[in-house]
Amino acid sequence: MTSEQLDQALLDLALIEEACKKSGLIWVRGAGAPAARALWHVWHEGAVCLVGDGPGEQPLPGLTDGGSAEVTVRGKDKGGRLVTWQATVSELRPESPEWESAVTELKGKRLNAPDSEDMPARWARSCRVLRLVPTGSVAPLPSDSLAERPLPSPATTRRPIPAGLPKLLAKRRKK
C-alpha cells in the first residue's frame, strides 16, 4: 500500500467515525435485506454497535454474525447523506467483556426504555448486540437520490388533527 493509499484509508476511517459519532441514526442494509433500515446506534471502540431483534427493540433484518452490511450515515444538520461504507457484522456473546462494554454505551443512548435498570439483563436474554466494523474505503456518493418508499410499520399512523389546533396556531400568528 502506497503512502497516498494509506493516507486515504485513514481519512476514510476518520470520516466514518466522525459521521457515526455525530449522527443518532444510520441506515443499514444487511446482506439479503430488501431495503435499508434506519437504526439507532452508538460508535464504540472503532465500530457501530446496535441492539435489537427482541421485544420492544428495533428489528435487525439481514444482519448475521460473520455477514456483511452497507451502512449509510446522514448529516445531522441537513439530514443529507454523508458517507456510505461496507461493514463486517459480528454478534457479541452476552456477558463477554466486549458485550458488557458495548451494552454500557448502548444503555446510555437508549431512549424511552420501559425498564432502564433491567435493560442489560433483558438484552442478554432476548436481544442481539452487534458490532459493524468498517472494512475499507467509503463508497462514492450516488448521482441520484436513491429515494425509496418507507417500509410498512404500525408506528406510522395518520390521525386527524385536533379540532382546536387551527385556533391555537392562529393565536400564535397574531402575537
Side-chain angles (χ1 to χ4, degrees):
M1 185 179 274
T2 68
S3 66
E4 287 179 13
Q5 291 172 326
L6 181 61
D7 288 344
Q8 186 61 48
L10 291 174
L11 286 173
D12 288 346
L13 282 175
L15 173 63
I16 291 168
E17 179 176 352
E18 198 61 29
C20 289
K21 281 182 177 179
K22 292 189 185 251
S23 182
L25 277 179
I26 57 175
W27 294 87
V28 180
R29 181 190 309 252
R37 187 176 276 287
L39 302 172
W40 70 273
H41 71 287
V42 295
W43 180 266
H44 180 63
E45 295 180 355
V48 163
C49 294
L50 305 166
V51 64
D53 280 350
E57 299 297 339
Q58 60 192 353
L60 304 172
L63 298 177
T64 58
D65 191 21
S68 64
E70 180 184 74
V71 180
T72 300
V73 185
R74 64 187 179 94
K76 194 169 185 172
D77 58 346
K78 306 239 188 228
R81 178 192 331 254
L82 281 180
V83 62
T84 299
W85 48 279
Q86 292 296 316
T88 300
V89 180
S90 62
E91 187 169 346
L92 302 179
R93 202 177 71 252
E95 310 302 329
S96 68
E98 298 85 14
W99 186 91
E100 293 284 348
S101 177
V103 164
T104 301
E105 294 295 318
L106 286 162
K107 183 181 175 192
K109 296 288 184 179
R110 175 64 163 94
L111 302 176
N112 304 324
D115 60 345
S116 60
E117 292 306 314
D118 298 329
M119 240 184 334
R122 179 171 55 85
W123 286 349
R125 280 190 318 271
S126 60
C127 294
R128 297 188 309 143
V129 176
L130 304 177
R131 277 178 53 88
L132 278 59
V133 181
T135 59
S137 64
V138 300
L141 291 175
S143 58
D144 56 343
S145 74
L146 301 179
E148 296 181 18
R149 281 195 160 299
L151 296 172
S153 168
T156 55
T157 57
R158 289 206 60 158
R159 294 189 181 135
I161 63 169
L165 186 60
K167 291 178 188 175
L168 179 65
L169 293 175
K171 285 182 186 177
R172 285 190 182 169
R173 287 187 199 133
K174 289 180 184 178
K175 292 180 182 180

